[in-house]
Amino acid sequence: MSYFSGKRVFLVGGSEGIGRSAAVALARQGAHVVVAARRVPPLEETVAAMRAVAKDGQALGFCSLDVTDRAAVRDAVEPVKQQLGGGVDVLITNVGSARPGYLTDLSDDDFDAMMAVNYTGHVNVVRAFVPELRREDGGRADICLVSSALGFMSMPGYSAYSASKFAIAGFAESLRMEVGTQGIKVTLFYPGTTDTPGLQNENETKPKAVWKMEADSAFSKTHAPDDVAKSMLRAIERGRFENFPGSDVWFIWFMYKHFPGLSRYLADQEWRTALKKVAADEAS
């Protein structure tokens, strides 16, 4: 039997990409699932995809929610519980957006928006739902916070995005200790580049040299959302704190953790090479 069979899951950021893939996988494994995001039509599509693989009796639904609206998040607690049948066992916060750009090219609003969604949005949801997750009967509940590979390292063009994802890791470290004595396991998940609609939007503003650096890097790999979602759900089941969707992301984390000087040197060399190639292309 799946770990998630019969579990009541609230998945924030479930309208597309990794979130939709995870929602469908959870429904297939017998979980009761409510997904949340801002736009209703994609949420309806996710629910339809869940119903196609679920069995009779599973509670499946959605909640239109802006995670930057703290009052709205708190108001969503009771409706979500009602849809799930009385409580929440697993909370997954998968919200985030990226707008690449150099430090002086991004606007103040860009910086504020990414911090509001990518960091404070997670905090708002966790603070609202933690009271519903607390276990006093010896059982276990789960919180999964989705960060990014750019939440433990960074690169040019991602100063705003990376800072917001680093913040999730810091929040998770404290949260892990605070709620661990209440029967709640915290999972921190670091996905790498994933083929999602969000990535397509991100690529629209990505500077040329950043494109070049990614394209020429031996460690740049684009993952399928279904694969990333499966890795995330396995991570929640295992209950290990830091988790990665593939050996490529793990290796970069390992290098930055144990050999930070070498890792930064290699990244600097890749960046200088990318700048030279872009300059040469523009000069030709």
Side-chain angles (χ1 to χ4, degrees):
M1 180 182 292
S2 165
Y3 173 75
F4 296 101
S5 179
K7 296 273 189 180
R8 297 165 296 186
V9 183
F10 183 41
L11 196 168
V12 187
S15 62
E16 59 188 23
I18 297 170
R20 178 177 292 179
S21 292
V24 173
L26 285 163
R28 185 179 290 112
Q29 293 179 47
H32 308 290
V33 187
V34 170
V35 290
R38 288 179 300 171
R39 295 175 297 139
V40 170
L43 286 169
E44 292 175 333
E45 292 172 7
T46 297
V47 173
M50 288 194 294
R51 292 196 187 284
V53 299
K55 296 180 174 62
D56 292 340
Q58 286 178 240
L60 305 171
F62 72 86
C63 172
S64 177
L65 185 63
D66 180 351
V67 296
T68 67
D69 186 337
R70 189 172 289 121
V73 172
R74 291 171 179 166
D75 288 344
V77 172
E78 288 304 319
V80 167
K81 287 171 58 181
Q82 290 174 13
Q83 287 192 75
L84 287 173
V88 181
D89 301 308
V90 181
L91 175 65
I92 302 173
T93 58
N94 178 53
V95 292
S97 64
R99 182 176 177 80
Y102 296 134
L103 179 70
T104 53
D105 293 336
L106 292 173
S107 69
D108 293 341
D109 288 344
D110 289 330
F111 273 84
D112 291 345
M114 277 183 267
M115 187 60 75
V117 174
N118 299 350
Y119 169 61
T120 310
H122 288 251
V123 174
N124 290 342
V125 173
V126 170
R127 292 186 68 207
F129 280 85
V130 154
E132 312 307 323
L133 288 158
R134 288 184 179 135
R135 291 292 188 267
E136 298 177 355
D137 57 1
R140 170 182 156 187
D142 294 279
I143 297 173
C144 178
L145 299 163
V146 180
S147 178
S148 165
L150 292 177
F152 62 78
M153 51 82 70
S154 197
M155 60 186 297
Y158 285 91
S159 57
Y161 177 78
S162 187
S164 67
K165 291 297 187 176
F166 263 83
I168 293 174
F171 175 69
E173 286 281 6
S174 177
L175 181 68
R176 177 188 65 80
M177 291 183 281
E178 285 194 25
V179 303
T181 57
Q182 301 166 14
I184 303 173
K185 278 281 188 181
V186 174
T187 297
L188 178 59
F189 190 65
Y190 293 111
T193 302
T194 308
D195 187 12
T196 65
L199 178 64
Q200 296 169 18
N201 293 333
E202 176 183 333
N203 287 341
E204 292 178 2
T205 63
K206 190 176 294 183
K208 292 180 181 178
V210 178
W211 270 107
K212 186 68 71 174
M213 183 178 179
E214 289 184 353
D216 292 346
S217 174
F219 301 106
S220 180
K221 178 182 176 181
T222 300
H223 297 256
D226 285 353
D227 294 337
V228 176
K230 289 176 184 176
S231 294
M232 181 178 71
L233 297 183
R234 284 197 300 267
I236 296 171
E237 181 175 357
R238 285 196 303 262
R240 191 169 62 194
F241 180 58
E242 290 186 292
N243 302 271
F244 317 90
S247 58
D248 57 324
V249 181
W250 172 85
F251 181 73
I252 298 171
W253 172 84
F254 179 87
M255 289 294 295
Y256 269 88
K257 186 175 182 67
H258 297 284
F259 306 99
L262 175 60
S263 299
R264 293 185 181 110
Y265 170 79
L266 293 173
D268 288 346
Q269 294 304 113
E270 286 187 337
W271 178 237
R272 291 189 179 96
T273 299
L275 288 172
K276 289 178 181 177
K277 288 184 176 179
V278 169
D281 289 343
E282 291 178 347
S284 61

